[in-house]
Amino acid sequence: DPARADAGAVPDFGLNAAPDWRAVFGYLRIDSDYRLILDNFLDLTHVGYVHVGTIGNAPVSDAPIELVSEEGLVRFNRTMKAIPPSPTFVKLMGSRELVDRRTTSTWLPPGHFLNEVHAAPAGQPDPAAAIRFHVNNSLTPETETTTHYFWAVTRNFQLQDDAVGALLASENAAAFLEDKVVIEEQQRMMDIEVPATPIMPIAADRGVLAMRRLLEKLERGEAR
């Protein structure tokens, strides 16, 4: 309902144009319900399986989730100490030494997901040794089974090195294409199952369940 739209709820994209950050951008059209893409964002256990060639590895999947309850959003943290770097981080940091990695993930309804990533050599307290980047993921449903997916990755390191920006763009684009394959196959399987098999959550789906409950609550409110 346009009359009920709240301009104050628009996500903050300020870092995309901030002078001390640099951004790269991309787009995908995904043949799935947008909620399956949200499920993917909020279930980071898949990172160690789907993204082993790019941004993920087993320690990322195994890291516990600290779910933070806040009104009107879903946020969780994952902290990984002294883990091997994933292939993408080897390229970005120029080393295979162990890293300390932290991720804060925030879903802002209905279709925005922000991933804040921090990585540094293991045990290194100097913030200058760390790299940080934010991944903004914005979804616009086109139909019940197609979605426009816009993304931006902003970084605060090696700002003048265009090759670093190109690397971040290519690595993230490759990871998102890996997601696309899985999500579209999920949609295909759901389409051919009549009636559809109920989705059964597991322990790793805490963030997914929190998102789905809030989304259903908002949908009920919109329907009134």
Side-chain angles (χ1 to χ4, degrees), residues 9 24 30 67 73 108 124 197:
V24 292
I30 299 181
L67 190 63
L73 58 80
L108 297 171
Q124 173 58 263
T197 300

Side-chain angles (χ1 to χ4, degrees), residues 5-216:
D6 179 7
V10 174
D12 182 1
F13 293 98
L15 284 185
N16 288 350
D20 50 348
W21 292 74
R22 291 290 183 275
V24 292
F25 304 91
Y27 163 81
L28 281 175
R29 184 179 183 274
I30 299 181
D31 292 331
S32 81
D33 184 322
Y34 82 103
R35 291 170 295 184
L36 292 180
I37 307 173
L38 293 177
D39 291 347
N40 177 272
F41 291 154
L42 285 151
D43 172 24
L44 291 188
T45 58
H46 82 277
V47 173
Y49 304 94
V50 178
H51 301 307
V52 290
T54 52
I55 61 174
N57 53 20
V60 178
S61 293
D62 295 339
I65 294 175
E66 177 197 355
L67 190 63
V68 180
S69 297
E70 294 189 30
E71 184 67 27
L73 58 80
V74 175
R75 174 174 290 137
F76 58 87
N77 303 310
R78 297 170 77 95
T79 300
M80 296 144 274
K81 293 288 189 180
I83 67 170
S86 72
T88 296
F89 282 84
V90 170
K91 295 174 184 177
L92 287 173
M93 304 179 76
S95 171
R96 296 185 179 275
E97 297 297 320
L98 299 182
V99 297
D100 293 335
R101 181 171 167 179
R102 185 175 71 250
T103 303
T104 297
S105 304
T106 305
W107 171 64
L108 297 171
H112 184 73
F113 187 80
L114 171 64
N115 226 12
E116 303 174 64
V117 181
H118 177 283
Q124 173 58 263
D126 182 2
I131 63 172
R132 291 174 58 205
F133 57 90
H134 293 186
V135 186
N136 279 294
N137 307 273
S138 298
L139 306 179
T140 300
E142 180 185 49
T143 69
E144 290 185 357
T145 56
T146 59
T147 304
H148 298 289
Y149 173 21
F150 305 90
W151 57 266
V153 181
T154 60
R155 72 183 192 279
N156 75 336
F157 58 96
Q158 300 182 40
L159 302 184
Q160 306 308 317
D161 192 336
D162 291 340
V164 173
L167 176 63
L168 269 174
S170 64
E171 291 290 307
N172 281 275
F176 298 149
L177 284 172
E178 292 166 345
D179 286 327
K180 175 180 166 73
V181 171
V182 173
I183 295 167
E184 290 184 343
E185 182 65 11
Q186 289 175 328
Q187 183 67 61
R188 189 185 73 83
M189 294 301 295
M190 293 171 70
D191 289 343
I192 65 176
E193 292 180 352
V194 182
T197 300
I199 297 175
M200 301 301 293
I202 60 175
D205 290 328
R206 292 172 59 207
V208 172
L209 288 173
M211 177 273 294
R212 289 278 185 155
R213 291 190 187 109
L214 178 52
L215 193 58
E216 289 169 2

